Amino acid sequence: MRIPLYIEFQGKRVAVIGGGGVGTLRAKKFIEAGAEVSVFSQDFSSELLKLSEEGKVELVRASVESMDFEKLASNFHLIVVAIGSKDFNERVIEAAEKHKAMVNLANDAKMTEVVVPFEGGKNGVRFAVTTEGKSGVVARKVRDKFQRVLDEEEELFYFLNAMDHLKSYMKKRNVPVNLRMKLYSIVSSDVRFVELVKQEKVDEARKLAEEIVEEYVSGKKKAENGGIEF
């Protein structure tokens, strides 16, 4: 079963087999993530040729029939198969498993190990959507709907700002992790804190969060499972 993860790809080596439309999209995504991308194909899109001229991607003219998948898997962290034919998928998977490389099969949503989702986000909030091959159209619609929510709900970002400050403040104060976990819930549900966030008074909300933390750290209040003990 696949689970959603965000993986750092800065400096990772990515091989894309296929220089057409899908291969171009995959290559661009990983280039933007800071990966070292090489595209293997007999033909390349105009976008890839331009990216190559800019030094952003390595283009290797090669026929998939003659490719050494063992060598490929031993030199790259991720192999993307972006060609129409599925004839080589099993060989790619076998080589990748042997050399501990990951595989994204753009031509087989059921067999792929890595799913490349539709993404969105704003001001520090990121999300990804996939239907795991059922419908890219639906995945895009869901992505767009989520994005509209983020674009319209400015209060979420004031809340994020205040909660991020709370997290940093507690770590700086060396508040024990078990108490930190309880205080996240206590502060975020505090009526005064919520109201300040709604009023966009982020600085005041951050100050109140600090005061609440100090009440518990000093022992004036105790955070207990199932409620607050005074």
Side-chain angles (χ1 to χ4, degrees):
M1 182 181 72
R2 304 184 188 98
I3 61 173
L5 298 170
Y6 275 93
I7 301 174
E8 177 60 67
F9 261 84
Q10 180 73 38
K12 294 288 193 300
R13 295 186 301 279
V14 177
V16 179
I17 301 173
V22 177
T24 299
L25 290 173
R26 291 288 195 271
K28 288 171 62 179
K29 176 176 283 291
F30 288 104
I31 289 170
E32 291 170 2
E36 298 175 10
V37 180
S38 298
V39 180
F40 298 79
S41 181
Q42 290 181 308
D43 299 293
F44 303 98
S45 69
S46 57
E47 279 191 273
L48 286 175
L49 292 171
K50 186 179 183 213
L51 288 169
S52 176
E53 291 174 0
E54 296 171 351
K56 295 180 179 178
V57 65
E58 177 189 28
L59 302 184
V60 182
R61 293 199 179 274
S63 167
V64 66
E65 289 85 359
S66 60
M67 289 185 66
D68 185 341
F69 298 124
E70 289 274 345
K71 184 177 180 180
L72 204 66
S74 67
N75 284 287
F76 290 88
H77 297 97
L78 172 69
I79 301 174
V80 177
V81 180
I83 57 177
S85 173
K86 299 181 182 181
D87 294 345
F88 305 92
N89 288 0
E90 290 187 7
R91 287 172 56 194
V92 171
I93 292 172
E94 183 179 348
E97 287 179 348
K98 181 177 179 180
H99 295 280
K100 310 301 182 186
M102 295 180 289
V103 177
N104 167 238
L105 301 176
N107 60 10
D108 195 329
K110 291 183 178 180
M111 287 294 294
T112 190
E113 175 188 20
V114 174
V115 173
V116 178
F118 291 93
E119 294 183 69
K122 180 181 177 181
N123 295 345
V125 175
R126 297 179 62 192
F127 66 89
V129 178
T130 180
T131 60
E132 297 192 279
K134 293 182 180 67
S135 173
V137 172
V138 172
R140 281 193 293 270
K141 282 183 174 292
V142 174
R143 187 269 313 275
D144 293 345
K145 191 166 188 176
F146 285 0
Q147 189 63 53
R148 285 196 296 273
V149 171
L150 285 182
D151 291 339
E152 295 167 2
E153 296 289 335
E154 287 297 322
E155 182 183 317
L156 287 172
F157 302 105
Y158 301 128
F159 189 74
L160 174 62
N161 185 304
M163 292 301 291
D164 182 44
H165 176 76
L166 171 64
K167 182 177 183 178
S168 298
Y169 180 77
M170 289 198 291
K171 286 188 173 182
K172 185 177 180 180
R173 286 282 284 107
N174 293 317
V175 177
V177 65
N178 61 330
L179 179 55
R180 288 208 311 265
M181 294 302 106
K182 295 174 183 177
L183 285 172
Y184 288 135
S185 177
I186 291 169
V187 172
S188 63
S189 60
D190 185 281
V191 176
R192 299 165 298 165
F193 178 83
V194 172
E195 190 58 33
L196 288 171
V197 169
K198 285 183 178 179
Q199 294 175 11
E200 302 178 15
K201 297 178 179 179
V202 178
D203 288 339
E204 291 180 40
R206 290 165 66 167
K207 183 178 179 181
L208 175 61
E210 292 179 10
E211 292 173 358
I212 294 173
V213 168
E214 293 306 322
E215 287 181 326
Y216 288 90
V217 171
S218 67
K220 290 181 180 179
K221 292 182 180 179
K222 290 185 179 181
E224 299 290 344
N225 294 329
I228 302 173
E229 180 181 304
F230 293 88

